[in-house]
Amino acid sequence: MILAFYAVDNSQGYNRDSFMGINANTILDRLELLPPEEVRCYDMSRFQATEDYPALNAFVEDYNNEELDNSGWWCVAIKTE
């Protein structure tokens, strides 16, 4: 699963419902249209229980630093398997 956050005030005009009922590949393609400062993706599906969790650690760090809740972000969970 990928947790993707995109800015509320984004250059493509995506809102909280923009990705409802859309397949994963289309969502990812549309998120690629956003500049890097307007999107953050955390791929949670690539790691086994015995490995370090860099995506999870990055998410926790960004969230705890209030980078995701301070400036207005929407979130979409993308099933990758």
Side-chain angles (χ1 to χ4, degrees):
M1 177 187 337
I2 295 173
L3 289 179
F5 291 82
Y6 54 101
V8 169
D9 294 322
N10 63 76
S11 58
Q12 295 295 314
Y14 301 145
N15 62 39
R16 69 183 301 154
D17 299 319
S18 291
F19 302 113
M20 296 289 288
I22 297 176
N23 72 49
N25 290 331
T26 301
I27 294 171
L28 293 170
D29 288 345
R30 290 183 183 178
L31 290 175
E32 286 183 9
L33 298 174
L34 295 172
E37 64 273 8
E38 292 182 359
V39 64
R40 294 188 185 202
C41 293
Y42 305 92
D43 187 349
M44 304 299 192
S45 61
R46 305 170 108 211
F47 309 101
Q48 297 177 6
T50 58
E51 294 182 88
D52 185 27
Y53 292 92
L56 182 57
N57 292 337
F59 167 72
V60 169
E61 189 70 18
D62 290 350
Y63 184 82
N64 287 341
N65 288 342
E66 297 182 353
E67 295 178 25
L68 298 172
D69 61 353
N70 223 6
S71 56
W73 295 83
W74 298 119
C75 180
V76 61
I78 306 165
K79 185 177 179 182
T80 55
E81 294 180 13

